[in-house]
Amino acid sequence: VCVTGAAGQIGYALLPHICSGRTFGPSTKIILHLLDIPRAQQALMGVKMELEDCGFDLLEEVVVTSDANVAFTGIDACIMLGAFPRGPGMERKDLLAKNCNIFKEQGRLLNEVASKNVKVVVVGNPANTNALVAQQCAPSIPKENFTALTRLDHNRAQSQIAMRLKVPSSAVENCTIWGNHSSTQYPDVSNSVVATAQGKQKVGDVIQNPGYLHGEFIKVVQQRGAAIINARKLSSAMSAAKAISDHMHDWVVGSNGKTVSMAVPSDGSYGIEKGLIYSFPVVCSAGKYTIVQNLKVDLFSRKMMDETMNELKQERDTALAFLNKDADTIARSKL
């Protein structure tokens, strides 16, 4: 298992999930490859020492490196936390350009040295488009093996409904995050149910407040990350780590029939342009995910789903323009 950007706070919160068996199952032995930039190597060595001191029975070896070639060699799973952060005054196209270079190179290396069935989840933003860039640069790895994290948004949506209804989070089922991991994402509970004393009921029938479900609820989930930064002066780490663990666990071990949200390559379902890395409701079993079909999509949902799709199309076009520009430059240099 490789974790990129492993010296950061999300990595620090995630590693106990992986090493305790919560992520890949209680009997799966783990060899960890921790990748980060050269100046983070001393901190990573400290993390390695802490992992040793925890005495995790499943942890067989920890490799600490700043060389992606070493980090990616032979891996079965890659959790990509590392990405170029958006700085003050940086436009989104500049952020896309910076990350395009990073994920182009990492995709190429995954293609060359990782397991040909490596499962990849991209967390570093813009996560959906970063995943698409890596996928495009790794032609020998199945396209469906490149995913992006929207499980944090899914967990947030589920928890918001549960808190409002004063029930455990597990009592709420079938929440969906559609689209991009950005402020255009569409948290949708129109097909969700909640376990009550009277049996399972539709969330909309229990809450009976369309204004809330189409307004405040969506905004709270969309803006939750910013609210946490405002409160902590740091981005989400504990909840992000839990969501990454949930994502990989369900993908590898199975979601036990539950519908969860994953950003995956679109197959054209629900009118979403084929090939975009778009968040859908999925069910996972035996190491594979399947997009849930035949959910009702009303006019409000259609509008929200299309808005976030359009943002992803713009991001894709910008990123692929950078990739094509680089390819043209390389081609000209060989003339």
Side-chain angles (χ1 to χ4, degrees):
V1 178
C2 176
V3 180
T4 78
Q9 49 169 353
I10 297 177
Y12 190 78
L14 172 64
L15 295 175
H17 288 264
I18 295 173
C19 297
S20 66
R22 186 189 179 280
T23 307
F24 295 103
S27 60
T28 303
K29 298 285 188 179
I30 299 293
I31 298 172
L32 270 181
H33 291 190
L34 304 182
L35 173 68
D36 217 314
I37 58 178
R39 68 171 180 265
Q41 293 303 294
Q42 184 175 345
L44 269 188
M45 288 304 299
V47 172
K48 179 181 179 180
M49 287 188 280
E50 285 207 70
L51 289 169
E52 293 167 349
D53 294 347
C54 286
F56 291 113
D57 289 344
L58 295 176
L59 183 59
E60 292 195 337
E61 184 183 356
V62 181
V63 175
V64 170
T65 183
S66 60
D67 184 344
N69 193 62
V70 171
F72 291 167
T73 296
I75 59 171
D76 302 296
C78 189
I79 299 168
M80 306 185 91
L81 307 180
F84 193 91
R86 190 170 188 171
M90 180 181 285
E91 293 186 16
R92 193 167 183 84
K93 64 179 176 60
D94 299 324
L95 181 67
L96 283 164
K98 290 281 189 183
N99 281 295
C100 194
N101 288 327
I102 294 169
F103 285 87
K104 176 184 70 174
E105 179 64 14
Q106 293 190 339
R108 183 186 67 78
L109 283 172
L110 284 169
N111 192 64
E112 291 178 0
V113 302
S115 159
K116 292 309 176 189
N117 197 37
V118 62
K119 287 178 165 59
V120 180
V121 57
V122 177
V123 181
N125 286 316
N128 299 53
T129 301
N130 288 342
L132 180 66
V133 169
Q135 178 208 63
Q136 294 296 304
C137 298
S140 67
I141 297 170
K143 289 186 181 300
E144 64 268 21
N145 285 26
F146 287 86
T147 69
L149 186 76
T150 53
R151 185 59 176 269
L152 177 54
D153 310 303
H154 175 102
N155 289 351
R156 286 167 171 166
Q158 186 171 310
S159 294
Q160 287 297 314
I161 296 299
M163 287 189 294
R164 188 173 181 92
L165 296 178
K166 296 182 171 55
V167 298
S169 187
S170 60
V172 181
E173 300 176 11
N174 302 342
C175 291
T176 297
I177 302 296
W178 299 97
N180 201 2
H181 176 63
S182 74
S183 60
T184 69
Q185 65 174 260
Y186 172 38
D188 176 21
V189 292
S190 61
N191 295 287
S192 300
V193 296
V194 58
T196 70
Q198 292 75 40
K200 288 186 178 179
Q201 297 179 267
K202 292 197 73 171
V203 163
D205 292 342
V206 179
I207 292 182
Q208 294 187 334
N209 187 342
Y212 166 74
L213 294 176
H214 288 172
E216 180 187 343
F217 163 71
I218 291 174
K219 285 189 172 61
V220 166
V221 177
Q222 288 175 335
Q223 299 171 6
R224 187 70 163 183
I228 289 169
I229 291 172
N230 188 51
R232 287 188 75 220
K233 311 308 175 191
L234 294 167
S235 60
S236 308
M238 177 170 50
S239 56
K242 161 74 162 48
I244 296 162
S245 182
D246 290 344
H247 176 110
M248 292 304 290
H249 172 275
D250 289 352
W251 190 4
V252 172
V253 180
S255 64
N256 198 27
K258 293 187 306 179
T259 296
V260 296
S261 299
M262 292 174 63
V264 303
S266 173
D267 60 1
S269 293
Y270 298 100
I272 302 307
E273 187 168 322
K274 196 170 182 179
L276 289 175
I277 306 288
Y278 188 99
S279 184
F280 288 96
V282 302
V283 173
C284 304
S285 179
K288 296 185 180 298
Y289 57 80
T290 304
I291 295 173
V292 176
Q293 298 295 325
N294 301 318
L295 294 177
K296 182 181 176 183
V297 176
D298 60 20
L299 288 175
F300 178 82
S301 293
R302 181 78 266 159
K303 175 176 176 289
M304 298 292 287
M305 291 162 67
D306 287 348
E307 281 182 7
T308 191
M309 175 176 69
N310 289 335
E311 181 182 58
L312 281 169
K313 287 165 66 175
Q314 290 172 359
E315 286 188 11
R316 175 204 59 196
D317 292 347
T318 301
L320 293 184
F322 285 121
L323 283 181
N324 292 335
K325 182 179 178 183
D326 287 347
D328 289 344
T329 300
I330 292 169
R332 284 196 298 271
S333 71
K334 291 180 179 178
L335 293 176

